[in-house]
Amino acid sequence: MPKTAIDRRSILALIGAALMPVQAQAAQYPSRPIKIIVPFGPGGSGDISARLIGKQIEDKTRQAVVVDNRPGANGIIGTMAVKTAEPDGYTVLLITTSTHAANVSLVRNLSYDPAKDFTVVGVFRSSGSYLMVRPEAPWRDLPSFVAAAKAAPGKLVFGYFNASSRTPPEYLGRLAGIELQGVPYRAIANAIADLISGEIHCLFMDTTASNQYLQSRQLRPLAITSLTRARATPDVPAVAETFPGFQLTGFLGMAVPSATPREIVVQLNGLINEALTAPEVRRRMDEFGLSYDITDLAACEAEVRAERERWTEYTRVAGIQPE
């Protein structure tokens, strides 16, 4: 037999042997608990969504799904934990507007590349954020809030805990010609506590995280950052009604390290899409003002790429410099 034939056969055998463990791993996936790392604290939209979808995946696969909150550094700590994790589908990142869009423009020398280091396996969307104040705050609407800020430059203080809570007030400040003072927080719960106690004056909170505070009337919304009013709160005006064209919406999703085998990536995408169709998930998503579609892998990547481009423009207009 010619030597070239033997060499070819040997090479094919080696390739087949190398692929067998990956194929076997994918066929058995998941065979042990899955960890979803949320790069922000409990109580935010990412945390709530991760637990909601994780429960559906757990019920479907009969494998535990554990949510692990790793807040800090505007989502970078949790994101890096997944970037450096074993790419086997058992460590999943809850991605957000901050981690996979805004941080690219806001963080100098970012320690990860959202496009190169991760594969997006699912996407769901936010309808925007509410500008929240205390119920007893003197401002009854956005125009009166803006008037107060103009009368006392730099005296009204907003809290922020990630890029998507920092950019809206900065963006509003540019359009309205007002100066607001920002205070950073490690987690959303700390910012909310200070807003309720009166330590700060306002906070932009996404519709998911805002839900319980609206229902309990612990906080009051002045406006929403989506282009139009939300179905859940038709009495709350859009910021665009005062400042035409104003729109800042975000997204949530899930991703894994880019070296994760394609077979497992496809399975995860299927599990997330199936979870999004569950009646309980759909009901809660509607309640939280989140929208969702069955999104294949190519569409997931395209949507996150488009969001990154949009937030690059948002942060440019807001005049926020990388730190």
Side-chain angles (χ1 to χ4, degrees):
M1 183 178 294
K3 186 175 187 298
T4 54
I6 295 174
D7 290 346
R8 190 179 299 113
R9 183 180 298 173
S10 300
I11 291 169
L12 290 173
L14 287 171
I15 293 172
L19 288 175
M20 282 180 64
V22 173
Q23 293 168 341
Q25 183 185 38
Q28 298 169 5
Y29 180 84
S31 59
R32 54 188 172 86
I34 296 171
K35 179 188 293 183
I36 301 176
I37 291 183
V38 175
F40 297 101
S45 59
D47 178 67
I48 293 168
S49 301
R51 294 177 190 280
L52 189 62
I53 292 173
K55 178 63 168 62
Q56 294 298 320
I57 294 176
E58 184 175 271
D59 291 346
K60 170 69 177 179
T61 64
R62 303 301 178 189
Q63 293 291 338
V65 177
V66 180
V67 173
D68 181 2
N69 296 91
R70 304 262 189 108
N74 206 26
I76 294 174
I77 291 173
T79 301
M80 288 299 296
V82 179
K83 175 187 171 180
T84 57
E86 188 71 23
D88 54 11
Y90 290 96
T91 305
V92 179
L93 176 67
L94 191 288
I95 65 173
T96 71
T97 300
S98 294
T99 65
H100 274 58
N103 277 357
V104 174
S105 299
L106 296 179
V107 179
R108 185 176 284 110
N109 300 321
L110 188 63
S111 53
Y112 64 90
D113 185 322
K116 294 180 180 179
D117 294 333
F118 296 93
T119 298
V120 182
V121 292
V123 174
F124 27 106
R125 303 156 200 86
S126 167
S127 64
S129 299
Y130 292 108
L131 169 54
M132 301 288 264
V133 299
R134 301 171 71 200
E136 60 270 29
W139 321 290
R140 306 314 300 178
D141 52 28
L142 181 59
S144 62
F145 176 85
V146 169
K150 285 185 175 180
K155 298 298 185 182
L156 294 188
V157 179
F158 68 89
Y160 66 90
F161 47 90
N162 58 15
S164 56
S165 60
R166 179 186 178 187
T167 304
E170 301 276 15
Y171 192 90
L172 175 64
R174 282 297 181 100
L175 294 185
I178 58 177
E179 180 185 347
L180 301 172
Q181 182 68 37
V183 174
Y185 288 86
R186 180 177 172 84
I188 184 174
N190 306 111
I192 292 172
D194 275 5
L195 177 59
I196 290 173
S197 68
E199 294 296 318
I200 59 176
H201 297 105
C202 64
L203 182 65
F204 278 84
M205 295 171 57
D206 63 70
T207 55
T208 306
S210 298
N211 187 63
Q212 64 172 306
Y213 299 96
L214 292 176
Q215 292 186 348
S216 65
R217 298 186 179 182
Q218 288 178 280
L219 296 172
R220 176 165 55 84
L222 296 182
I224 190 168
T225 64
S226 52
L227 193 58
T228 59
R229 300 186 183 201
R231 282 185 308 182
T233 53
D235 294 335
V236 178
V239 177
E241 294 177 38
T242 303
F243 299 99
F246 186 105
Q247 180 182 17
L248 274 85
T249 56
F251 73 95
L252 297 165
M254 292 188 181
V256 291
S258 57
T260 304
R262 184 69 176 181
E263 295 87 346
I264 290 177
V265 167
V266 170
Q267 289 189 58
L268 267 172
N269 178 242
L271 287 170
I272 292 168
N273 281 333
E274 186 172 351
L276 289 171
T277 67
E280 173 63 9
V281 173
R282 294 174 66 178
R283 183 183 70 77
R284 297 294 298 280
M285 289 280 191
D286 287 340
E287 181 181 307
F288 294 144
L290 292 171
S291 60
Y292 48 88
D293 294 306
I294 302 305
T295 312
D296 64 24
L297 292 168
C300 285
E301 293 288 353
E303 180 147 351
V304 173
R305 184 168 56 250
E307 287 284 354
R308 198 151 46 240
E309 292 171 358
R310 276 193 286 272
W311 278 81
T312 297
E313 178 63 11
Y314 293 157
T315 54
R316 185 194 67 78
V317 173
I320 306 175
Q321 298 299 313
E323 297 179 352

